Amino acid sequence: MPDELSLVLAQAVVSAIESAGGQAGGVYLASATPGLLRLAVLAGLPGPLFRPWWRMHVNRPFPVAEAFRSGQAVHLADAEEAMRRFPQLMAGLPFPFGSLYVPVVIGGKPVGVLVVLRVATPGKPVEPADRRRLRSIAEGLGAALAGLESAGTAVEWDEEPLPVQLPAGSSPPVRIGRFDWDLDSGAVGADDELCAILGTGRKQFPGTIDALAARLAPEDVYGLWALGRQAADSGGPVVRRMRLRGPDGRSHLLEISGRRDKGAAPGAATRLTGFLVDLGIGPVVAEAADRLPRGIFSLDRFARITYINGLAEEILGHPRSELVGRVLWEAVPWFANPAYEDHYRAAMLSDAPVHFLARRTPPPWLSVSLYPGHDGLTVVLDPAEQPVYAPGSVVSPGMGLGSPADRSAALYRPVALAIALTEAVTARQVSAVVTEELLPAFGGRQLAIYLLRERHLYLEWETGFPHGFLDRFDGVALDARIPGVETLTTGRPIFFESMQRLAAAYPGIPMDTDVGARAFLPLIASGQRVGSCILGFDQPRGFSPEERTILTALAGLIAQALQRAQRYDNEAALARGLQDVLLPHRLAVVEGVATEGRYLAGTQGMEVGGDWYDVIETGGKLALVIGDVQGHGVAAAATMGQLRSAVRAFALSGHDPQEVMSGTNRLLIDLDPGQFASCCYIVMDPATGVTRAVRAGHPQPVLRRPEGAVEVMDLPGGIVLGIDAEASYPVTELHLAPGAMIALYTDGMVEESGTDIDVGIERLRGTIAGFAPDATLAETADHVIGRARQAADRPDDIALLLAARWADGAGIS
């Protein structure tokens, strides 16, 4: 029996799709990785075709992420609205469909998103009734998940999505088998006809729902349980249907009916009645289809073959017994061409026919037509002449570049990539965006990006190529006769529909495969040569004039982003150099006090910021300093160096803490760098423990007392430095007992997007409290910074300074 979480999710998805008149849908749940959503259930669609959308970061510009972030539903009636609001979604799925996204909430906190995909309704907004029904189902799902969570079940998902079959339409019965299902115990009583349909005798039937489910595909199992729960939870009579695959691979209709008896005694079993209908082979329909001079077969919504006529058997080269019940591209491998995936997705998501040319192995070429319906696709095959353009670039008037959907897709692909590129800062981030956005849009499988430095091309990024294959081209000079160089030197893109054509144009060039296609794009920005980009495809394919135009335009956008990234990389390297020089490499040592400092760069954006710390010996006392200049990069690092020098100069001149902070504040205002900074300055007498502290807009220090108690200090303070020349900074006097430790840190340690900073400070307090109190100060610093290092995304850098006073002036190692 499936686990309770899977059943709850499957039932909600089936109900949501039915209530909104959808064709498919699913539910995303938060995962163990912070900020990452994963698709937990996918109903009505073949999972492998939608693998690029299995994972979704909450910061991405997609409707699933927006619904999760905002806690508000997103309703997209048609492709035009989706393209206007979420161009990146439509860049990958440029088809006419509508989609609805409703957040699932527990205790006011989003934990997932319910998704329904349906036929587009151009010009008509989503009906209020549909919105209410979906909201109600999402609320019910949230309540069910809250119950599971309170019972100890983790409401998160880190696996592949569960496939769930949807209820199917009914057909005239041929044989009908009846069964009774005790939903609580799973016991099933079956009649002779049902056992016969399942291919077993009544005495051999084990009498459990698991025995029935064992004969089903995984998606049918979850669909069966979802139907049962849905029928049992209904307040009135309910009938639900779905299709199940029989032992011979043929599709049967399963109908479940029942209701919860309100007059039943507490604890009474919930019983459902079910019928399994053998639809037979449909002799009249089959004979009619066999007479047609075209190959015809049907697929369910998981791309499993449910029917095939004689000519289709002949065309595909496999008998019916080897095809029925199997996934199309698994049964017929040449249908697994990545260039065809967009066509399958288009047919699954829209109600419009899709036509394309396919290269059969062995030939001839085939004209393939996909006719979608609620329960799946009807596929029609016709032999065709070899096209001018290979599969993937020849499209039909119904779904080609001449259609409104494809014209919009052609327009929005550059827009979508441009939006994504604005978020990329480094060259590697730009390359990652191209991998995520460009390859799926064109069905590519390999990508290589070379950057130009000193008249040589150096490999910056690669994916999909055999390991080490591209090493021989790394550092190649501009006089080499290879397509990656010539596309840059001539400024013209070069397209090869097959590897044979590439080999003929460049005799002797090393090849990573004998099959495929390649596009070589020059990366030129504002007349400046930046590098070259290589797109690789697993199968031969042509490039229509429209595709060549789009790819050339996208190459220009990529070049501009890489040029910007190179400037950033140079600035970041300078900032890192400044940071390394300005941070102390050795802390001052005073008898009776031990200190440890750590610095951790961020993982996003400029990475290097204006965080600093320092330890200054002044007149037998020890000054502890930590600060954070607003911003990142060279300017922040330079300002940080000036402030560090100012604080050190004021401290060594004998100024008290208030004078140090006020003087530094006025200096920053006089410098007028357009920046401000926070700072905490503490002066400690190692002999007596008398300590004086002053704070300028900086997070409160954390204090660990000698007996082990850890608390967040409450030091009064003034505003950040660089705002008001007349600002005052009150000084707090306290006593640090022998064995006490104080922790100073910058806000990167405790800030997290969407979370109050107090939560982060409490987390830091708990980290220090949970570590061994007898550990050395160095071990404690490594432990604290190690916990911060575990975060996958750190938008800000982190500085940490620990100081401990020891009894009798003893230090620690």
Side-chain angles (χ1 to χ4, degrees):
M1 176 176 174
D3 65 87
E4 191 69 18
L5 176 61
S6 301
L7 291 174
V8 167
L9 296 174
Q11 180 182 351
V13 169
V14 171
S15 298
I17 294 171
E18 283 191 330
S19 71
Q23 298 170 296
V27 61
Y28 285 83
L29 281 186
S31 68
T33 303
L36 180 67
L37 303 177
R38 294 188 69 114
L39 184 60
V41 168
L42 179 62
L45 291 172
L49 281 186
F50 292 84
R51 185 179 294 272
W53 297 273
W54 284 7
R55 296 157 52 95
M56 181 67 60
H57 197 279
V58 297
N59 290 329
R60 299 282 284 153
F62 284 83
V64 169
E66 178 168 310
F68 186 88
R69 288 194 311 268
S70 67
Q72 301 295 318
V74 176
H75 304 105
L76 304 174
D78 55 21
E80 182 178 349
E81 182 179 5
M83 288 175 180
R84 185 175 64 252
R85 296 180 57 186
F86 301 98
Q88 285 180 277
L89 170 68
M90 300 311 294
L93 298 170
F95 319 121
F97 68 98
S99 52
L100 316 172
Y101 309 83
V102 186
V104 179
V105 178
I106 297 179
K109 176 184 177 183
V111 296
V113 178
L114 193 60
V115 181
V116 174
L117 308 178
R118 65 182 194 176
V119 174
T121 55
K124 295 175 59 179
V126 177
E127 294 289 339
D130 290 341
R131 299 174 185 237
R132 287 194 299 270
R133 285 192 291 265
L134 281 180
R135 183 171 63 247
S136 176
I137 293 171
E139 290 171 352
L141 176 57
L145 294 179
L148 291 178
E149 190 174 62
S150 64
T153 299
V155 180
E156 61 181 32
W157 199 269
D158 285 289
E159 309 296 330
E160 292 188 357
L162 294 175
V164 174
Q165 180 67 288
L166 292 175
S170 61
S171 299
V174 175
R175 292 187 298 172
I176 302 177
R178 184 182 186 278
F179 65 95
D180 294 303
W181 179 8
D182 185 327
L183 195 63
D184 298 322
S185 67
V188 171
D191 65 6
D192 292 336
E193 196 71 16
L194 183 134
C195 294
I197 294 172
L198 294 178
T200 183
R202 190 167 186 176
K203 292 183 179 180
Q204 289 75 38
F205 185 70
T208 67
I209 194 66
D210 289 336
L212 179 61
R215 295 176 175 271
L216 310 178
E219 54 268 27
D220 295 328
V221 175
Y222 288 100
L224 174 61
W225 278 98
L227 284 178
R229 290 296 182 88
Q230 190 180 42
D233 291 345
S234 174
V238 64
V239 176
R240 291 291 183 266
R241 298 184 181 94
M242 68 180 294
R243 291 186 186 274
L244 299 182
R245 186 176 62 183
D248 59 354
R250 288 187 295 110
S251 177
H252 300 313
L253 177 68
L254 180 78
E255 179 180 287
I256 295 174
S257 63
R259 62 179 293 168
R260 182 178 297 279
D261 189 353
K262 296 182 179 179
T270 302
R271 304 190 68 85
L272 302 175
T273 298
F275 297 90
L276 186 63
V277 183
D278 179 4
L279 300 175
I281 60 174
V284 176
V285 175
E287 289 177 6
D290 279 334
R291 296 189 190 106
L292 294 175
R294 313 173 80 183
I296 298 175
F297 60 92
S298 296
L299 304 176
D300 68 9
R301 294 198 66 81
F302 287 94
R304 297 175 300 199
I305 300 173
T306 57
Y307 166 78
I308 183 168
N309 75 349
L311 185 55
E313 286 184 273
E314 181 181 331
I315 291 174
L316 297 181
H318 296 277
R320 184 173 304 172
S321 58
E322 294 181 7
L323 297 174
V324 172
R326 296 186 63 193
V327 174
L328 172 61
W329 39 83
E330 294 176 358
V332 187
W334 55 265
F335 257 119
N337 190 320
Y340 308 152
E341 289 185 0
D342 257 3
H343 303 303
Y344 300 140
R345 285 192 283 263
M348 290 289 183
L349 292 178
S350 71
D351 63 344
V354 176
H355 312 281
F356 63 97
L357 293 178
R359 184 176 185 271
R360 197 185 75 164
T361 304
W365 290 80
L366 295 175
S367 171
V368 182
S369 298
L370 308 177
Y371 296 93
H374 181 272
D375 297 332
L377 305 176
T378 296
V379 185
V380 178
L381 305 176
D382 280 310
E385 297 294 328
Q386 181 169 342
V388 177
Y389 294 107
S393 58
V394 173
V395 288
S396 71
M399 279 299 295
L401 287 173
S403 73
D406 264 2
R407 283 198 302 271
S408 298
L411 172 64
Y412 276 96
R413 273 174 176 157
V415 174
L417 185 60
I419 293 171
L421 289 175
T422 60
E423 302 172 1
V425 181
T426 68
R428 297 194 67 79
Q429 288 173 347
V430 171
S431 302
V433 165
V434 176
T435 302
E436 295 171 3
E437 304 294 341
L438 186 62
L439 284 186
F442 288 89
R445 285 295 179 271
Q446 295 90 29
L447 171 72
I449 292 180
Y450 287 83
L451 295 182
L452 179 64
R453 292 193 295 270
E454 298 177 352
R455 296 189 58 78
H456 288 74
L457 285 174
Y458 293 93
L459 183 62
E460 174 67 22
W461 179 275
E462 65 169 305
T463 183
F465 287 93
H467 179 71
F469 172 76
L470 295 179
D471 291 349
R472 70 198 74 195
F473 303 109
D474 193 14
V476 66
L478 290 186
D479 57 358
R481 189 179 181 275
I482 57 175
V485 170
E486 293 192 355
T487 189
L488 180 62
T489 55
T490 63
R492 293 183 291 103
I494 306 174
F495 299 92
F496 295 101
E497 288 81 2
S498 68
M499 300 305 288
Q500 290 76 14
R501 294 192 178 184
L502 173 58
Y506 294 88
I509 188 173
M511 310 277 280
D512 63 307
T513 179
D514 294 330
V515 179
R518 292 288 185 271
F520 296 85
L521 307 174
L523 301 179
I524 300 175
S526 303
Q528 300 294 316
R529 293 184 295 186
V530 177
S532 59
C533 174
I534 304 172
L535 294 179
F537 303 85
D538 288 346
Q539 298 293 329
R541 54 119 56 216
F543 300 90
S544 66
E546 293 87 352
E547 283 184 312
R548 296 175 186 235
T549 300
I550 293 172
L551 285 171
T552 303
L554 294 179
L557 293 177
I558 297 167
Q560 291 175 4
L562 286 170
Q563 190 178 61
R564 185 177 66 249
Q566 286 178 317
R567 290 195 297 267
Y568 157 81
D569 287 336
N570 293 335
E571 182 179 351
L574 178 58
R576 280 191 293 269
L578 280 172
Q579 189 90 0
D580 185 61
V581 170
L582 295 173
L583 284 175
H585 293 265
R586 185 178 63 84
L587 300 180
V589 178
V590 175
E591 186 177 356
V593 179
T595 58
E596 287 287 342
R598 297 289 187 272
Y599 173 79
L600 185 63
T603 60
Q604 299 178 359
M606 185 56 77
E607 297 182 350
V608 179
D611 292 20
W612 91 94
Y613 60 86
D614 204 355
V615 177
I616 308 165
E617 183 182 3
T618 169
K621 298 179 181 179
L622 198 67
L624 310 172
V625 190
I626 195 159
D628 183 2
V629 176
Q630 168 262 339
H632 298 84
V634 174
T639 301
M640 177 269 283
Q642 292 172 310
L643 293 186
R644 177 175 179 261
S645 299
V647 172
R648 177 171 281 271
F650 284 127
L652 292 175
S653 299
H655 291 80
D656 64 29
Q658 185 180 47
E659 292 172 334
V660 170
M661 197 63 70
S662 297
T664 306
N665 175 49
R666 288 191 295 271
L667 175 65
L668 181 57
I669 292 174
D670 290 342
L671 290 173
D672 192 22
Q675 294 168 308
F676 56 85
S678 67
C679 186
C680 187
Y681 179 84
I682 297 177
V683 178
M684 180 196 307
D685 187 333
T688 65
V690 173
T691 301
R692 304 181 73 205
V694 63
R695 196 170 61 86
H698 202 81
Q700 295 281 3
V702 173
L703 174 66
R704 186 176 68 192
R705 296 190 180 278
E707 67 276 12
V710 180
E711 63 188 64
V712 179
M713 301 179 71
D714 186 15
L715 303 179
I719 64 173
V720 293
L721 306 175
I723 301 296
D724 181 5
E726 303 301 323
S728 62
Y729 298 96
V731 176
T732 302
E733 187 168 308
L734 58 145
H735 178 265
L736 288 184
M741 183 197 78
I742 193 167
L744 305 176
Y745 54 92
T746 54
D747 55 11
M749 175 75 75
V750 294
E751 282 188 338
E752 183 178 335
S753 177
T755 303
D756 192 271
I757 191 172
D758 290 339
V759 176
I761 294 175
E762 175 57 27
R763 184 173 59 246
L764 172 62
R765 189 203 66 78
T767 298
I768 295 174
F771 194 59
D774 57 347
T776 67
L777 204 61
E779 291 171 339
T780 302
D782 290 338
H783 173 71
V784 172
I785 208 73
R787 291 294 298 270
R789 196 186 300 273
Q790 292 175 7
D793 296 318
R794 295 189 304 276
D796 202 358
D797 49 350
I798 296 171
L800 173 70
L801 179 62
L802 302 183
R805 181 172 178 245
W806 296 94
D808 302 324
I812 60 174
S813 59

